[in-house]
Amino acid sequence: MKLSMRLHKSLGRFKMSIDVTVLGDRVGIFGMSGSGKSTLVSMLAGLLEPDSGEIILDGETLFCSVGKINLRPEQRRIAIVFQQHALFPHLSVRNNLLYGYKRCPAEYRSIDFDTLAEVMKLNSLLDRDIANLSGGEKQRVALGRAIMASPRLLLMDEPLSALDDSLRFQIIPYLKSVSEKFKIPYLFISHSLVEMRLMADTVLAFESGAIIGQTSSEQLARNRMSASPVGYINLLKLGAPTAMSGLFAYPWGASSLFLSTGSDRDESMAELSSKDIILFKQHPEATSARNLLHCSVRSLFNSGRKIGVELECAGNTLIAEVVQDAVDELGITEGSTIYAAVKASAFRMLPG
Amino acid sequence: MLLGDSDIQAIWLTVRLATIVTVVLLVVGTPIAWWLARSRSRWKGPIAATVALPLILPPSVLGFYMLLAMGENGPVGHLTRALGIEPLPFTFWGLVIASVFYSLPFMVQPLQNVFESIGNRPMEVAATLGASPLDAFFSIALPMSLPGYLTASILTFAHTVGEFGVVLMIGGNIPGVSRVASVQIYDHVEALEYAEAHRMAAVMLIFSFLVLLALYAWRPNSLKMTRRD
């Protein structure tokens, strides 16, 4: 997907001004609430008219103030998944799913209903009323409804914000399937860096109605490490644990980690903050931290007043944060080896 | 026979009038209510106030102005003469037009309320899923508004059944043309036929009570919808 936007819009005292071209099928728009993300979504979908500018999607002009072009929302084939599910309450799950499908010209229909119902695990819900669905189910139906319309671009406007933490991470695999299974490019809008890293490759950082940078989601997380109260969040893919002297040993790449919480899943994700990793120049003879990893330093990067240290531990990557004095004292340079200590309780398992 | 022939005729005329007025207002009231619910125009206030006028205006005032408008020298009178139609005052269709204005807020306000409560989002979603505005209205907004339509129709029908002042001003008191149930009762009383007046009044009373009972039993809040700020 190639999306070019040159847009100006004033809403009262709020002013938006954007000039950007973005390439990729998994694009994120990151910004705090009130930064104008939803206004942008409305303008892309044709629900709000920009004051001036143009929008070009894959070579087709959707809006051009000079050329007096403004395709109606129903002509754009851009679907939206909102924060609130916005399902049609008078229609069953099946008829919600088919609403856009029926209105999509036959030559554009690319999604098979049965495949969608299976991937989204909706088969048991098809004949239910909307009122009888849980929050997570509703959001899955809303996502399925948008996919069934075979859009050429799907806008996901904070689709996880209304869900609680445990549901949020259960829904993410379904959101990912939009690109992976159904080959629909998407714009994922969120104020959560972790969601951005799970959902987007390229990220447009948004602030006060302007795009302040275009980068990878990984780079964005590194840039924001010192500014974020939780630092950089390492996302670790772990295997099935085995209980061991009051803790749980999880396979982690070619290595293993001790965590204080168990899991009955074969695969799980854990978060580890860059602030919770302590670095030692030499092997500390004894430490209360249950994980002591022998690592090599792959690179160093600056993030505000902090230094990020990218470590390689048995084929895995970890980011730790330190201050400049620590870098000097420990003699951390690219290629040097170092020990990283992490408490078993520092990890946070992602639900789902 | 409990009711006389003229009574039956008056009731039948009333039901016919109320049915036609309700159907006309369903068609006319929907776009007005939709516009009032969606518009941010500076005309919204004046239009809403105009629609609500019959709620507080004495029916005789409304009837008087309509009589002037429909009369031979009024704008509507000129139009009907140009079209070769008989003057509207003291005809059934004149009564229909007057009643449409008189009952307008009873249709528009409940519909406006239900349209406002639905909000923009469902229509926006429908549009992004490929529905044109008209398609989205009939497939989404209309079915979601059915409770409001039912309330509005019942109130409009009942209100038209109950009108008196406007009927007298515009329709007069012509059997089979404009002598509706409320006028028939007035006639009975004038002629000191209290027994007949009692029977007709009882029919009206029971009808009105049943309508309100049905509305309250079905939706306790629906009557509040007619009076809003």
Side-chain angles (χ1 to χ4, degrees):
Chain A
M1 174 198 65
K2 182 182 179 189
L3 176 64
S4 302
M5 301 177 276
R6 195 168 50 76
L7 296 172
H8 301 279
K9 180 76 185 171
S10 295
L11 288 169
R13 297 169 80 186
F14 178 79
K15 284 196 174 23
M16 177 179 278
S17 190
I18 290 174
D19 189 351
V20 72
T21 296
V22 62
L23 278 166
D25 286 348
R26 291 164 24 102
V27 177
I29 295 183
F30 175 81
M32 294 301 130
S33 53
S35 59
K37 303 188 300 286
S38 293
T39 306
L40 179 65
V41 166
S42 294
M43 291 197 287
L44 279 174
L47 302 172
L48 185 68
E49 189 176 337
D51 295 339
S52 64
E54 61 181 5
I55 303 171
I56 301 171
L57 175 61
D58 292 329
E60 190 187 352
T61 304
L62 305 182
F63 175 81
C64 177
S65 54
V66 177
K68 302 243 181 297
I69 297 170
N70 186 15
L71 292 193
R72 304 175 62 87
E74 64 268 26
Q75 296 169 327
R76 296 195 181 194
R77 294 184 50 232
I78 296 180
I80 309 182
V81 176
F82 291 98
Q83 184 174 338
Q84 304 294 341
H85 56 81
L87 293 173
F88 303 132
H90 61 293
L91 299 179
S92 67
V93 169
R94 184 191 303 275
N95 286 330
N96 264 282
L97 290 171
L98 289 173
Y99 189 87
Y101 180 80
K102 287 177 183 165
R103 286 159 176 83
C104 177
E107 67 262 32
Y108 294 127
R109 284 181 194 165
S110 58
I111 312 294
D112 176 59
F113 184 84
D114 294 331
T115 310
L116 176 106
E118 196 182 317
V119 172
M120 297 280 146
K121 296 204 173 73
L122 295 172
N123 276 317
S124 61
L125 309 176
L126 290 177
D127 296 311
R128 297 251 290 270
D129 278 345
I130 298 306
N132 298 330
L133 301 180
S134 71
E137 288 169 341
K138 283 177 183 163
Q139 204 54 308
R140 256 157 56 206
V141 176
L143 179 64
R145 179 179 65 177
I147 294 172
M148 278 306 294
S150 305
R152 58 179 161 181
L153 173 63
L154 179 60
L155 307 175
M156 302 196 223
D157 189 2
E158 302 260 6
L160 302 170
S161 301
L163 303 174
D164 60 39
D165 234 18
S166 61
L167 270 177
R168 187 172 305 175
F169 292 99
Q170 284 173 20
I171 299 283
I172 280 183
Y174 297 105
L175 297 180
K176 281 180 156 179
S177 75
V178 170
S179 160
E180 288 168 3
K181 293 221 170 60
F182 300 109
K183 309 295 176 210
I184 298 171
Y186 62 70
L187 237 63
F188 182 82
I189 291 99
S190 177
H191 62 272
S192 156
L193 257 181
V194 170
E195 287 176 14
M196 269 304 143
R197 282 163 64 203
L198 292 171
M199 289 297 299
D201 302 322
T202 308
V203 178
L204 303 175
F206 221 67
E207 200 175 288
S208 311
I211 287 168
I212 52 166
Q214 181 176 167
T215 177
S216 70
S217 51
E218 176 61 30
Q219 192 57 48
L220 179 71
R222 292 185 182 199
N223 293 347
R224 295 182 58 85
M225 182 180 75
S226 72
S228 165
V230 291
Y232 173 98
I233 298 293
N234 291 284
L235 294 169
L236 314 179
K237 204 181 245 182
L238 305 175
T242 41
M244 209 176 278
S245 47
L247 295 173
F248 297 89
Y250 286 79
W252 178 49
S255 176
S256 68
L257 289 170
F258 285 100
L259 274 70
S260 53
T261 47
S263 164
D264 51 10
R265 279 171 284 151
D266 289 338
E267 266 195 3
S268 42
M269 289 277 259
E271 292 183 348
L272 174 65
S273 165
S274 55
K275 293 176 184 290
D276 289 332
I277 302 172
I278 300 170
L279 301 181
F280 295 90
K281 190 174 186 176
Q282 291 163 347
H283 192 293
E285 279 188 16
T287 165
S288 63
R290 290 299 86 192
N291 295 289
L292 190 63
L293 306 161
H294 193 211
C295 319
S296 63
V297 176
R298 202 182 280 153
S299 67
L300 297 166
F301 60 90
N302 288 304
S303 173
R305 285 155 58 185
K306 292 286 179 64
I307 309 289
V309 185
E310 183 183 341
L311 303 166
E312 193 199 325
C313 322
N316 301 301
T317 303
L318 272 185
I319 305 284
E321 67 173 83
V322 291
V323 292
Q324 185 61 47
D325 283 355
V327 173
D328 299 340
E329 235 174 273
L330 295 170
I332 302 175
T333 52
E334 275 185 32
S336 60
T337 56
I338 206 164
Y339 287 91
V342 185
K343 288 170 75 96
S345 59
F347 299 89
R348 180 173 168 269
M349 295 298 285
L350 289 185
Chain B
M1 187 69 185
L2 206 62
L3 296 168
D5 284 348
S6 62
D7 293 338
I8 304 273
Q9 188 186 41
I11 289 174
W12 168 235
L13 186 70
T14 309
V15 170
R16 199 156 76 94
L17 175 69
T19 307
I20 292 172
V21 166
T22 306
V23 171
V24 169
L25 274 178
L26 278 170
V27 177
V28 174
T30 295
I32 297 175
W34 186 260
W35 185 83
L36 285 173
R38 305 278 143 152
S39 174
R40 289 183 188 167
S41 158
R42 61 201 169 97
W43 292 101
K44 183 174 172 172
I47 299 282
T50 308
V51 167
L53 264 182
L55 288 176
I56 53 165
L57 213 56
S60 52
V61 173
L62 188 71
F64 174 63
Y65 282 124
M66 296 204 67
L67 194 60
L68 290 184
M70 291 179 188
E72 296 223 353
N73 297 319
V76 181
H78 284 302
L79 185 70
T80 49
R81 194 165 48 206
L83 293 172
I85 305 170
E86 63 169 325
L88 287 168
F90 309 111
T91 65
F92 178 74
W93 290 103
L95 202 54
V96 168
I97 292 170
S99 302
V100 162
F101 280 99
Y102 184 52
S103 292
L104 190 62
F106 291 83
M107 180 62 78
V108 169
Q109 293 196 349
L111 291 187
Q112 185 185 343
N113 280 335
V114 76
F115 291 153
E116 281 171 353
S117 72
I118 289 173
N120 277 330
R121 188 44 61 81
M123 298 295 286
E124 290 180 347
V125 173
T128 61
L129 294 172
S132 68
L134 206 61
D135 177 7
F137 177 80
F138 282 107
S139 61
I140 302 299
L142 187 67
M144 284 178 77
S145 310
L146 281 184
Y149 270 97
L150 194 59
T151 306
S153 299
I154 292 173
L155 286 172
T156 302
F157 188 92
H159 185 248
T160 309
V161 166
E163 65 183 78
F164 177 72
V166 171
V167 179
L168 271 191
M169 295 295 282
I170 297 289
N173 187 358
I174 307 166
V177 175
S178 60
R179 187 183 287 170
V180 295
S182 57
V183 177
Q184 178 77 353
I185 295 169
Y186 179 74
D187 263 13
H188 282 315
V189 175
E190 283 250 288
L192 299 177
E193 297 162 353
Y194 276 32
E196 288 83 352
H198 259 309
R199 284 197 281 272
M200 277 297 277
V203 169
M204 295 290 277
L205 182 69
I206 291 167
F207 166 78
S208 305
F209 178 75
L210 288 179
V211 167
L212 292 177
L213 185 68
L215 263 181
Y216 273 117
W218 173 67
R219 258 179 87 176
N221 291 326
S222 29
L223 284 190
K224 286 183 200 154
M225 295 175 72
T226 59
R227 308 279 167 166
R228 56 188 298 282
D229 297 319

